[in-house]
Amino acid sequence: TDVIDNVLGSFVFGPNTAPLGNGSAQMSVTGTQRRNIATYQFSNVKLSNIKALRFSTYSESAGNGSPASERSAYLHFNVSFDGVDSWQKRLVYVPSVNGAVTNDSWQSWDAIDGGNGLWLYSGATWPAPNAIPGTTPKTWAQILTDYPNIQTRTTDSWMGLRVGEPYNDGFTGEVDNFVIAIKSGLN
């Protein structure tokens, strides 16, 4: 409805000094809620053409349930493994799969990490060639090798940072400094 609803999230000062300056975006959830900051701007982008994919998170210890050390905002986006624009689910980058989440301080996450960034798949099993459980991480490099035509969806190019996985006892966290760099000069 193009109406700002601050119940869904808001811009806040800090916490501490946010990576890009004074403020950040804060999202809170209770129960099984999930909240996102998302865009449809990156349509039909081959993953092999993404040069950088980073974001920063702040996970608050106060008011967040257990295990707080595993809770953080995370990145995910809709993909097409074969270039066909159909619903093929999402790739998910979860910070705690890629390192320790430190509460009450800003952390930067490099989702590509020289090809070593670990990703999950939102489906039950990764598509062929090796149909392993979607909860089994694959590196960015492995994804590009296994699926040479993988790209963001064309008509449903949703990409966003989310809180809530869900946590029965809620979560409050901040995000800042989302960076995506795509090779220029592409058709």
Side-chain angles (χ1 to χ4, degrees), residues 126-149:
W126 288 89
N130 47 6
I132 57 177
T135 56
T136 302
K138 286 191 178 191
T139 67
W140 184 261
Q142 186 178 12
I143 292 167
L144 295 181
T145 298
D146 288 351
Y147 314 105
N149 295 316

Side-chain angles (χ1 to χ4, degrees), residues 6-75:
N6 287 327
V7 172
L8 299 176
S10 59
F11 291 104
V12 296
F13 287 104
N16 299 330
T17 302
L20 293 180
N22 293 331
S24 61
Q26 181 183 73
M27 295 179 282
S28 295
V29 293
T30 59
T32 59
Q33 293 176 325
R34 295 176 181 181
R35 302 244 163 90
N36 306 285
I37 294 177
T39 182
Y40 288 88
Q41 181 177 349
F42 304 104
S43 172
N44 199 33
V45 174
K46 288 204 171 281
L47 270 57
S48 60
N49 290 329
I50 298 176
K51 298 187 311 185
L53 192 55
R54 301 185 304 270
F55 62 102
S56 297
T57 61
Y58 188 97
S59 297
E60 299 183 14
S61 59
N64 285 334
S66 200
S69 62
E70 295 179 9
R71 297 177 183 203
S72 179
Y74 58 98
L75 173 67

Side-chain angles (χ1 to χ4, degrees), residues 86-97:
S86 61
W87 175 242
Q88 298 176 33
K89 304 208 184 275
R90 294 180 174 162
L91 289 185
V92 185
Y93 179 92
V94 178
S96 64
V97 172

